Amino acid sequence: MGRWLAGCLTLAVMTGAGAETLRAVPFTSVRLSDSFWAPRIKLNRETVLPHNFRSCEETGRIRNFDRAAGKLGGGFEGTFFDDSDVYKVIEGAAYSLHQTRDPELEKLTDSIIARIAAAQQPDGYLYCYYTVRRELDKRFTDEPQMHETYCAGHLFEAAVAYFRATGKRTFLDVATRLADHLCTRFGPGKNTSVPGHQECELALVKLYEVTGTKRYLDLATFWVNERGVGTNRKLTGDYDQDQKPLREQSEIVGHAVRGMYNWSGVADVAARLGDKDLMAATDRVWNDVVGRKMYITGGIGPSAQNEGFTVAYDLPNDSAYAETCASIGMALWNHRLNLLHGEAKYADVLERAMYNGLISGVSLAGDHFFYVNPLGSRGAHHRQAWFGCACCPTNVTRFLPSVGGYQYAQTDDSVYVNLYAAGSATIALKAGEMKLEQVTDYPWDGRIKLTVTAAPAADTTLALRLPGWARHEAVPSDLYRFAEGASGPIALSVNGKAVEVDPTQGYAKVKRAWKAGDTLELNLPMPVLRVVANAQVKADEGRVALQRGPIVYCVEGVDTPEARHLYLPAGAELTAERAPGLLGGVTVLRGQAQVAVRDDAPRPVNLTAVPYYAWDNRAAGPMAVWLPVDAEHADPLPKPTAAALAKASTSHCWQMDSVDALHDQVEPTRSGDTSIPRLTWWDHRGTSEWAQYDWAEARTVSKVSVYWFDDSGAGSCRVPASWTLSYRDGDQWKPVTAKGPLGTALDAYNQLEFEPVKTTALRIDVKLKPEVSGGILEWKVD
């Protein structure tokens, strides 16, 4: 049986005749020294990990283990699944300790592991929520909701990683005792519930690989086989992919993170069992994701309502959810499929997620995080230092230092280079060790040099991935395509002699008897390419995205203030320019676009595009990935009305909405118009809120028109219970003298005339109805 390590994941593969199956080169055999990932791994060790450990301590996540051990009084702190965050940070520490053995980090991690071990019950059960609350009689009685197996899965992954990185068994022993306990409680003739949040399936396979204990694989297999079947239980539906047997599924549904962890676990089990029906189902679902439901950034899951999937081609930009954890799940799943099938297209998707929708989840300083990753913003969306549900910050901290485990794969006599990053690797082949040194400035430069520093005597194949973008394939489906231009010829040489490359294949393979000092040089041209979406993606109609190499770009207001009002005509020249002092060192794109102006001629503007992953690391402002190609599809710059010239502010604005929607001059069609930007006070309910206009100079005003937002039947925003209008007089707010009622009519502007006032500010104060929120689509001033 072969081994498959993703970070620390192993996979034994058995497939049909003719399939090239791979196993990963473990993270413990790879060291990165490149200018892109190595600094991020260092940042993770020095900033992200300490930040997350500290946050877990300050929010009570770690103290809960002390309470569960009977060493600290008080009640449970936080959310019932918070144990998992601690485990993920420990997993990140494990990968970091492999890269750099840090005595202080190791001592800290050992101390936390000891606190966790002390909380384990004599029978192996370990879950702080029920233990601290003295409700052990409730264990496993509500698996669809309570995340006990989800937390266990993250413990298993962390324990395996820590054992492999340090050789220490304390945490691994905790994991096996807990896994043994699960095996006594779940399975045929026992509790037939499946995990409500998948994770434990893939984690049990990891634990099986390191221990050889087959009952762990058996339990993972049971859960995969039982999902969607309903043996002595009710199905929970498509939210957690439990609506029908997995072998019969063809579409991705439900919660995005659950979906990715689910199908990753399915791939693990299918590979070990040689289950062709499970493999076929996995492939069908992958085609649905990559062909109809993936963002150009590799992000997935457009809906905030279910943190997941809706219907095919529903890929809105400003309201995109695209959870960071879901992008990490995409990386995990596509890595497994690459090894299962030996096809480069899966590594293409892995790379797309890694360089775009995944690392956007952490700031360049390492101390702020995105939970949600929209592809457009009007300036209100920002990273946060922490979240009540902190799955994303802790998931990022375990993924970053594990990147080396995704770089190489192998067979007994072949080495596959899936990701390009400077560093070294030692690969154990059947005939002996092969050692490689990789030098490159990827992803900014497409030149890669591999030097063999040791090789077995037998013939060995070196297979270098030819990324889809270098073969003029945007993604391995018709969801996106490149609009114009070609990537140029790919060049490959061995010891300076050119080797013919077939651009239709995903790998360039060279088989020979290698010796120390041999070199391979691969040159992947990196022109600036425009990406066009499938016509069924209505949100991207008449728009293009910019890509160079694996990097997707965006336009930010800090560089181009008119970012949300410009268009980029077809054929407009774009050039790539290295900017080593910007955003940690990036390549930017420069060109000239046109600004659309409402009721006026367009005007030229210099455009600067930066990597999407790096946005919101400077001054706050608007952002766009998909750029209109003509004035018809552009959002025109507002006319210089009184409202447009005002600075808008508010008491609160939901992160997916925008205060600038108040005066963007986009006309609503009805109060429930969710197709246009809006200001809402969600998720404040029944509160007093306000919206305000400020002018640089005093002006005389006598009328306002307010179009209230009300999504009755779809959401929880309603017109307000009441509202007032005030103006600033010196340092005081005074009510206007109204000439009529302050209306709250639906589907129309509510006009209010009042005695003229000269002022520098107007303010609407609202009282929201009980139990609901509210908002405004447009506020005009005359």
Side-chain angles (χ1 to χ4, degrees):
M1 225 181 214
R3 283 186 175 271
W4 175 9
L5 283 137
C8 64
L9 172 67
T10 62
L11 170 65
V13 183
M14 292 176 285
T15 61
E20 177 80 314
T21 58
L22 313 175
R23 52 190 186 272
V25 174
F27 77 95
T28 51
S29 297
V30 179
R31 291 194 176 275
L32 297 176
S33 60
D34 72 312
S35 60
F36 191 88
W37 291 109
R40 284 166 171 79
I41 293 171
K42 182 174 184 287
L43 177 72
N44 188 72
R45 185 179 72 253
E46 296 179 350
T47 302
V48 185
L49 270 170
H51 175 91
N52 284 341
F53 267 138
R54 184 168 58 252
S55 296
C56 283
E57 187 72 71
E58 292 172 352
T59 58
R61 284 165 168 82
I62 298 176
R63 286 194 297 272
N64 283 331
F65 290 98
D66 298 333
R67 294 189 175 98
K71 297 181 178 181
L72 183 67
F76 181 87
E77 295 183 77
T79 307
F80 53 87
F81 51 74
D82 281 352
D83 295 6
S84 63
D85 294 328
V86 182
Y87 303 147
K88 282 182 282 186
V89 181
I90 292 174
E91 186 180 355
Y95 299 134
S96 294
L97 287 170
H98 159 66
Q99 290 286 333
T100 304
R101 204 66 182 254
D102 182 330
E104 290 188 12
L105 175 60
E106 190 166 351
K107 182 179 179 181
L108 171 63
T109 308
D110 286 342
S111 70
I112 295 173
I113 289 172
R115 294 163 75 179
I116 293 169
Q120 189 167 34
Q121 299 301 297
D123 62 1
Y125 183 75
L126 180 52
Y127 181 64
C128 287
Y129 182 77
Y130 282 149
T131 305
V132 174
R133 291 165 61 92
R134 296 180 174 83
E135 295 177 337
L136 290 176
D137 58 313
K138 294 183 179 180
R139 69 174 80 181
F140 307 127
T141 57
D142 190 8
E143 181 52 34
Q145 296 295 328
M146 294 308 295
H147 288 55
E148 289 160 278
T149 57
Y150 171 79
C151 291
H154 278 301
L155 186 152
F156 298 159
E157 288 202 86
V160 169
Y162 203 69
F163 172 69
R164 285 190 165 132
T166 67
K168 296 178 178 180
R169 290 196 57 93
T170 300
F171 206 19
L172 187 64
D173 290 341
V174 171
T176 56
R177 286 195 293 272
L178 176 54
D180 289 341
H181 180 68
L182 293 181
C183 290
T184 67
R185 301 297 295 260
F186 291 92
K190 306 172 188 175
N191 187 335
T192 57
S193 297
V194 296
H197 193 312
Q198 298 90 320
E199 155 65 17
C200 203
E201 299 93 330
L202 66 88
L204 279 167
V205 176
K206 283 190 177 184
L207 196 59
Y208 158 68
E209 289 290 343
V210 79
T211 65
T213 305
K214 189 174 180 296
R215 60 178 173 271
Y216 303 156
L217 176 61
D218 291 342
L219 180 54
T221 302
F222 169 78
W223 277 331
V224 167
N225 288 334
E226 171 58 28
R227 188 169 297 276
V229 174
T231 304
N232 299 322
R233 66 182 184 88
K234 291 183 179 180
L235 297 180
T236 55
D238 61 10
Y239 182 69
D240 57 355
Q241 299 77 42
D242 192 36
Q243 78 282 13
K244 62 181 178 180
L246 294 176
R247 288 174 176 79
E248 299 176 12
Q249 296 192 27
S250 299
E251 296 184 17
I252 191 70
V253 294
H255 188 268
V257 182
R258 284 170 168 84
M260 294 301 98
Y261 289 5
N262 176 73
W263 291 104
S264 294
V266 170
D268 288 349
V269 170
R272 283 159 183 77
L273 300 182
D275 191 319
K276 293 182 179 179
D277 289 340
L278 280 178
M279 292 179 192
T282 303
D283 292 344
R284 291 194 303 270
V285 172
W286 184 86
N287 286 332
D288 183 51
V289 174
V290 175
R292 305 195 302 170
K293 297 174 181 174
M294 179 181 72
Y295 283 101
I296 190 63
T297 57
I300 52 172
S303 173
Q305 185 174 8
N306 67 344
E307 293 188 315
F309 298 98
T310 55
V311 296
Y313 306 109
D314 179 26
L315 294 165
N317 293 310
D318 287 14
S319 63
Y321 201 73
E323 184 181 336
T324 300
C325 285
S327 292
I328 290 174
M330 274 288 275
L332 301 178
W333 185 34
N334 279 275
H335 177 69
R336 285 162 165 80
L337 293 178
N338 169 256
L339 300 175
L340 184 62
H341 295 302
E343 294 183 41
K345 65 181 181 180
Y346 303 107
D348 287 347
V349 177
L350 163 67
E351 179 181 70
R352 179 171 295 280
M354 283 176 58
Y355 279 101
N356 299 292
L358 193 162
I359 58 169
S360 59
V362 59
S363 69
L364 298 179
D367 56 359
H368 283 73
F369 307 88
F370 277 149
Y371 195 108
V372 176
N373 293 271
L375 279 73
S377 171
R378 294 180 179 270
H381 188 73
H382 306 293
R383 293 180 182 87
Q384 299 180 36
W386 194 247
F387 300 88
C389 174
C391 55
C392 293
T394 53
N395 224 349
V396 166
T397 204
R398 76 174 180 136
F399 185 86
L400 286 176
S402 75
V403 167
Y406 299 86
Q407 190 171 11
Y408 297 94
Q410 67 174 101
T411 65
D412 285 344
D413 58 2
S414 302
V415 175
Y416 284 70
V417 186
N418 276 326
L419 298 176
Y420 297 112
S424 61
T426 301
I427 301 101
L429 300 172
K430 186 175 182 179
E433 282 189 342
M434 172 168 273
K435 295 184 179 181
L436 298 174
E437 293 281 350
Q438 189 178 152
V439 176
T440 182
D441 193 25
Y442 197 89
W444 314 119
D445 192 313
R447 292 172 295 179
I448 301 110
K449 182 178 181 180
L450 282 167
T451 300
V452 177
T453 57
D459 283 359
T460 303
T461 298
L462 284 177
L464 279 64
R465 182 175 65 91
L466 305 178
W469 56 261
R471 296 180 285 110
H472 208 64
E473 178 184 83
V475 296
S477 73
D478 65 356
L479 184 56
Y480 302 106
R481 63 178 176 82
F482 290 128
E484 57 192 46
S487 295
I490 298 171
L492 176 65
S493 65
V494 176
N495 295 331
K497 295 182 179 179
V499 175
E500 185 176 350
V501 173
D502 182 353
T504 66
Q505 300 299 310
Y507 289 100
K509 299 180 179 180
V510 181
K511 183 177 182 179
R512 57 176 285 165
W514 300 93
K515 63 181 185 300
D518 284 346
T519 61
L520 291 90
E521 295 185 62
L522 178 65
N523 186 15
L524 304 171
M526 288 187 171
V528 180
L529 297 170
R530 288 170 166 84
V531 183
V532 176
N534 187 298
Q536 296 185 74
V537 183
K538 297 304 180 183
D540 300 334
E541 184 177 1
R543 297 171 183 270
V544 295
L546 304 179
Q547 181 174 334
R548 181 178 181 274
I551 302 293
V552 174
Y553 283 77
C554 69
V555 178
E556 272 197 284
V558 66
D559 302 304
T560 311
E562 305 89 347
R564 299 288 302 202
H565 305 291
L566 57 79
Y567 62 93
L568 184 66
E573 184 179 359
L574 294 167
T575 58
E577 178 183 310
R578 195 77 171 98
L582 179 67
L583 296 169
V586 297
T587 292
V588 300
L589 308 182
R590 300 194 189 278
Q592 190 173 85
Q594 299 289 321
V595 175
V597 182
R598 194 177 297 278
D599 300 331
D600 205 345
R603 56 180 174 81
V605 63
N606 291 327
L607 175 148
T608 298
V610 300
Y612 168 79
Y613 75 77
W615 84 279
D616 195 46
N617 275 284
R618 297 172 289 169
M623 179 276 292
V625 169
W626 288 95
L627 308 178
V629 297
D630 51 38
E632 177 185 352
H633 292 92
D635 181 7
L637 199 65
K639 292 184 292 186
T641 62
L645 294 173
K647 177 184 178 182
S649 59
T650 183
S651 55
H652 170 73
C653 181
W654 174 239
Q655 63 179 6
M656 304 302 290
D657 297 327
S658 170
V659 67
D660 288 332
L662 290 171
H663 55 182
D664 63 3
Q665 298 176 7
V666 179
E667 289 294 328
T669 59
R670 56 189 179 87
S671 288
D673 191 347
T674 57
S675 68
I676 65 173
R678 57 190 176 272
L679 161 71
T680 72
W681 293 291
W682 181 259
D683 51 354
H684 293 189
R685 302 170 185 249
T687 53
S688 296
E689 306 291 343
W690 55 263
Q692 183 172 320
Y693 281 160
D694 286 86
W695 290 280
E697 298 180 356
R699 62 179 56 236
T700 301
V701 291
S702 60
K703 179 182 176 182
V704 298
S705 302
V706 183
Y707 208 117
W708 299 107
F709 178 66
D710 186 308
D711 59 356
S712 294
S716 297
C717 286
R718 304 291 184 269
V719 296
S722 62
W723 65 286
T724 60
L725 181 69
S726 303
Y727 69 97
R728 181 186 288 138
D729 183 7
D731 59 357
Q732 295 183 331
W733 288 100
K734 295 182 178 180
V736 300
T737 303
K739 295 182 178 181
L742 286 78
T744 56
L746 293 171
D747 306 327
Y749 279 102
N750 291 267
Q751 298 181 352
L752 175 67
E753 294 187 15
F754 49 90
E755 293 296 330
V757 295
K758 189 172 185 179
T759 184
T760 58
L762 284 178
R763 176 167 169 156
I764 293 175
D765 286 279
V766 305
K767 176 59 180 176
L768 299 177
K769 293 178 178 177
E771 305 301 323
V772 297
S773 190
I776 300 174
L777 290 169
E778 195 74 15
W779 173 17
K780 297 179 179 180
V781 178
D782 296 323

